[in-house]
Amino acid sequence: MTLLNAKTPYLKKETSVSSMMRDTLTALAFLLVLPVARYGARPLAMAAVTLVACVLCEIAWSLLQSRSINTSDCSSMVTGLIIVMLMPLNAPLWLPCAAAAFAILVAKKPFGSTGHTPFNPAAAGMAFITLLWPQRIFSYFNPSAGEVLPVFADCNVETAPSPAAVLKNGLKPDILPFDMLWGVFAGPVGATGILVLCACGLYLFLKRTANWEITAGCLFAGAVMAALWPRIACAPLTSIKYELMSGSLLFCAVFMLTDPVTSPRTGFGRVLYGLLAGVLIMLFRRYGAYEQGAWFAILLANAVVPQINSLVCGDRRWGEELYEE
Amino acid sequence: MILRHGIKLDQQKAASLRHKIQDLPTAENQKKTEWLPLRKGELNSNAIIAAAQAAGIVDEFDGVPLFRKLKKLRRLKPDMIVACCFDEDPCTTSAMATLRENTNAIIAGLVLAGKACGAKENKIAVATKHEAKMIQKINPQADLILAGEMYPARALLKRKLFANRKNAAYIGAQACAALLAAIDDGEPQTSTVVTVAGDGVEHWRNVRARIGTPLKELLEFCGLSEKTSLVVTGSSITGRAVTDLNEPIAATTRCVIALKKAPNYKEYPCIGCQRCARACPRGIVPWKIQQEMQNAKPNLVRLTNVQKCIRCAACTVACPSGIDLTGAVRKAAQLKKSGDFIDIT
């Protein structure tokens, strides 16, 4: 019997980077349940195609750099699924693939993969295709028309303005509150089911995979902006309701802002980052050219993160009682 | 932010707690225990400390001879003395099993230790409420406090008591029992309770073994598998891999873990999840230390609190990226202590 001289610790860890990424993947997969139940297999096809594109891009980059291929940390899949969730269901399947390719090949891999990305790759990919094909990103099909979507082929279906677009035009969206909670309105694949989103967020916070400070900060800032400066003539609470539930604010606050790599590392810094991102998202909605530009806001907020990190001193923790050894 | 420190580990204590402590059969030719002469006269602080010295008792938690510890404590005058009857390590149960089987001996030993160092309060620290109920059933007079199941429980208990303005001293469960045996019967400390665990042994047991017995005998008594490739003494978090099974059991060996396969960690870059800072019971921010230590010339001012590290390795266990944060903090502490401003290797 030969005994090894292995390094500590000798117990199996429960959390690793790949298990955290798998938690996020699980939460994202749950978001697909409602669209699949309602509109058939197209969301699944879209997700599968994008995931394959992500993994292929990752492998291609590894080959280009002549490094060993390692996709075990699942981070590229998370990027891919986030992109799918932000797509309209009637978008051609090459559109999320283009976003994923940009995200992996330009925003993630050249910086040194997971742990080194200064900008959220999914946000970068979305920003890229928003600039190139804005009409395709923001033309959502009408879920109440009852049309069946083809699984793989491009679809020409009746489109409807999303609540975010209606708000942008200064009108009040005409949607029942119940439909709004269950996501029966024109919008991105995964960002409409508000109740499912809340459940997924709760799951991630309880698993400590995502930080609730960021999401809370972002939603608070968004709500305050919506209450103080409503875009439509209505009561502050109504304005908050429509602003938080329309577009992809909630989705971005739960899944994109909480990416630990691109967010600040101290508790106070995270709150600050969330607030900043919330304000930026609302400003993009109000003054931006598109009906919403949450990903642009996230990229801008990411750019500020190093400053927040060095501004907020994290060397000591506050309110600690330390005994002397 | 919810201020919850430490990390929760997957507890695997049930298997070794199912059986009573078993005695490891000793070889025929081994020397019989020489009993000490019984002490006569008044039992004061000096007599207790002298008895602990004569019996050669060692505190199993920190490896300090008990008489030296008691002398130091007598000088420091603690308000409270706490017997640590919980095991931080997820598969060690030696302290818990000792408490379950020798509850009254530990309480009596603790009272003696309290008398020796002049502490007014005596408390027994146990891990869970369930454990506390069990001990209350055996001895309703036992004065218990909960240490919790978060790792590192000992450091967190110290923190908790310090925050409650209690000046507490800590003593091991087996040392308490040995102190009573030394004073009542004149018995020197010759044996220690060791938990044998891991998938490399057939029976997970608590075994009372003579100090100095080779680890081989102990492991074979518990059914050592041929496929074992890693034997760890101490704990699965801060322990040490053993390469020679003839190594003797020491008084501080509370656990021997035999594993068929060494766990393999993939190392990723830091993703900034803050788990290490949350796990640390001493207020260190390990990722920041690690980041600073990666620089060619670390700035000593930025290595905050590193000298407070107690090497519990909670940060390394908590890290999802598998980074050796404890190593970085240790290097930083060495650097800070040495005052070496120019070159570190």
Side-chain angles (χ1 to χ4, degrees):
Chain A
M1 191 192 313
T2 46
L3 294 176
L4 296 169
N5 194 2
K7 258 170 54 179
T8 49
Y10 306 107
L11 79 175
K12 218 170 161 333
K13 282 186 202 176
E14 282 150 42
T15 51
S16 65
V17 170
S18 46
S19 82
M20 284 168 78
M21 291 295 175
R22 257 174 301 178
D23 283 344
T24 318
L25 274 182
T26 318
L28 284 166
F30 265 106
L31 286 181
L32 276 178
V33 171
L34 271 185
V36 167
R38 261 194 224 123
Y39 315 123
R42 191 174 168 87
L44 276 184
M46 200 180 239
V49 169
T50 315
L51 287 185
V52 169
C54 279
V55 174
L56 282 182
C57 285
E58 183 126 4
I59 290 173
W61 181 268
S62 300
L63 290 177
L64 207 69
Q65 297 273 303
S66 58
R67 291 201 188 129
S68 62
I69 297 164
N70 182 10
T71 52
S72 67
D73 68 351
C74 302
S75 58
S76 55
M77 294 189 186
V78 171
T79 305
L81 264 190
I82 288 179
I83 289 171
V84 170
M85 294 304 162
L86 290 171
M87 284 286 145
L89 205 47
N90 49 333
L93 293 187
W94 55 262
L95 197 61
C97 295
F102 184 84
I104 304 287
L105 295 179
V106 179
K108 185 180 166 201
K109 281 291 174 181
F111 292 102
S113 199
T114 322
H116 300 297
T117 47
F119 296 104
N120 190 320
M126 286 306 293
F128 172 69
I129 55 168
T130 309
L131 291 176
L132 289 189
W133 300 285
Q135 49 310 50
R136 285 188 191 271
I137 300 284
F138 297 123
S139 73
Y140 304 102
F141 85 106
N142 190 359
S144 48
E147 280 175 275
V148 178
L149 294 167
V151 177
F152 286 106
D154 286 3
C155 39
N156 269 323
V157 287
E158 188 192 329
T159 57
S162 72
V166 177
L167 282 170
K168 181 86 193 159
N169 294 333
L171 301 167
K172 197 173 166 185
D174 183 25
I175 304 165
L176 295 171
F178 192 73
D179 282 355
M180 202 125 198
L181 284 180
W182 284 106
V184 194
F185 60 91
V189 178
T192 50
I194 304 296
L195 281 182
V196 189
L197 258 175
C198 291
C200 289
L202 205 63
Y203 169 76
L204 290 180
F205 300 147
L206 289 180
K207 276 249 173 186
R208 286 181 180 265
T209 300
N211 287 299
W212 62 270
E213 295 106 324
I214 300 173
T215 309
C218 178
L219 294 182
F220 177 76
V224 168
M225 292 277 287
L228 294 184
W229 298 283
R231 286 194 282 174
I232 46 172
C234 63
L237 274 180
T238 322
S239 170
I240 290 176
K241 183 180 89 182
Y242 285 123
E243 292 285 4
L244 291 194
M245 286 177 163
S246 70
S248 52
L249 185 127
L250 191 62
F251 179 84
C252 290
V254 171
F255 284 99
M256 287 170 95
L257 278 175
T258 54
D259 172 20
V261 180
T262 53
S263 56
R265 300 185 167 198
T266 50
F268 181 63
R270 285 197 189 117
V271 175
L272 216 62
Y273 171 72
L275 291 174
L276 176 71
V279 170
L280 281 175
I281 290 175
M282 298 308 285
L283 286 179
F284 265 100
R285 281 187 176 183
R286 180 174 274 260
Y287 300 110
Y290 307 119
E291 61 177 66
Q292 54 146 343
W295 28 91
F296 298 111
I298 290 172
L299 290 179
L300 277 180
N302 284 344
V304 186
V305 167
Q307 271 66 44
I308 295 180
N309 270 341
S310 56
L311 195 82
V312 182
C313 174
D315 287 338
R316 291 175 70 207
R317 304 214 309 252
W318 292 36
E320 298 237 3
E321 298 260 15
L322 273 184
Y323 57 94
E324 288 307 318
E325 192 65 24
Chain B
M1 193 179 135
I2 309 154
L3 277 174
R4 202 178 68 154
H5 293 280
I7 36 172
K8 205 164 180 137
L9 298 173
D10 189 18
Q11 303 287 328
Q12 306 163 3
K13 296 188 196 272
S16 48
L17 277 176
R18 206 170 292 145
H19 304 279
K20 290 216 152 193
I21 299 174
Q22 293 182 340
D23 285 321
L24 185 71
T26 45
E28 288 288 313
N29 56 1
Q30 233 160 28
K31 235 171 83 182
K32 279 264 163 353
T33 310
E34 274 177 30
W35 294 69
L36 304 165
L38 272 178
R39 285 182 185 275
K40 291 185 186 90
E42 203 192 341
L43 202 59
N44 56 16
S45 167
N46 281 333
I48 296 169
I49 291 175
Q53 187 171 10
I57 301 170
V58 172
D59 190 311
E60 79 270 18
F61 275 94
D62 42 20
V64 180
L66 188 64
F67 80 93
R68 208 166 279 166
K69 194 169 190 170
L70 289 177
K71 263 186 191 167
K72 190 183 164 196
L73 288 179
R74 188 166 59 175
R75 211 168 55 242
L76 292 175
K77 294 191 180 53
D79 313 323
M80 180 197 254
I81 186 157
V82 178
C84 296
C85 300
F86 55 87
D87 300 278
E88 299 176 327
D89 182 68
C91 35
T92 310
T93 52
S94 59
M96 278 164 88
T98 315
L99 178 67
R100 283 189 191 185
E101 289 180 32
N102 309 310
T103 313
N104 295 328
I106 286 178
I107 293 172
L110 184 65
V111 170
L112 285 173
K115 206 170 169 186
C117 60
K120 283 179 210 89
E121 275 181 277
N122 310 309
K123 292 228 185 223
I124 291 181
V126 291
T128 54
K129 274 184 188 159
H130 173 75
E131 187 73 13
K133 256 183 211 162
M134 202 175 244
I135 301 305
Q136 290 267 315
K137 251 181 225 166
I138 302 171
N139 189 338
Q141 265 123 44
D143 200 353
L144 303 170
I145 46 170
L146 291 182
E149 267 189 327
M150 303 289 276
Y151 182 84
R154 199 170 143 95
L156 292 175
L157 178 70
K158 279 184 185 176
R159 237 183 118 120
K160 195 169 96 185
L161 290 180
F162 183 80
N164 291 343
R165 304 276 177 271
K166 287 272 199 282
N167 184 9
Y170 303 85
I171 181 172
Q174 295 186 38
C176 280
L179 183 63
L180 182 80
I183 285 170
D184 273 7
D185 312 325
E187 188 188 340
Q189 189 189 29
T190 54
S191 63
T192 181
V193 178
V194 183
T195 310
V196 183
D199 56 3
V201 287
E202 209 175 314
H203 314 289
W204 290 32
R205 295 275 161 78
N206 278 302
V207 182
R208 187 178 290 282
R210 255 181 102 93
I211 294 169
T213 319
L215 286 175
K216 202 173 187 175
E217 274 181 40
L218 180 73
L219 285 168
E220 271 163 11
F221 176 71
C222 295
L224 181 65
S225 154
E226 268 303 305
K227 286 179 193 153
T228 305
S229 67
L230 177 68
V231 174
V232 180
T233 63
S235 109
S236 51
I237 297 154
T238 56
R240 177 175 62 86
V242 175
T243 45
D244 180 12
L245 283 187
N246 289 320
E247 211 171 276
I249 294 169
T252 48
T253 310
R254 282 177 291 141
C255 185
V256 179
I257 301 165
L259 296 173
K260 281 183 182 163
K261 220 178 127 202
N264 183 18
Y265 296 131
K266 232 181 228 161
E267 200 168 308
Y268 298 101
C270 173
I271 57 163
C273 66
Q274 285 282 316
R275 276 167 210 252
C276 51
R278 219 181 289 132
C280 182
R282 302 287 285 157
I284 305 169
V285 185
W287 64 265
K288 214 155 197 176
I289 307 293
Q290 202 249 356
Q291 211 178 43
E292 192 62 39
M293 289 303 287
Q294 276 178 343
N295 294 347
K297 234 173 138 187
N299 185 349
L300 292 191
V301 180
R302 292 209 175 140
L303 303 176
T304 337
N305 283 349
V306 284
Q307 65 284 5
K308 287 184 180 153
C309 178
I310 52 168
R311 314 263 182 279
C312 66
C315 47
T316 308
V317 177
C319 180
S321 297
I323 302 169
D324 182 18
L325 292 163
T326 321
V329 173
R330 187 173 61 224
K331 239 184 238 164
Q334 276 168 0
L335 176 70
K336 224 174 174 181
K337 215 171 189 176
S338 71
D340 195 348
F341 288 83
I342 304 144
D343 178 29
I344 46 142
T345 32

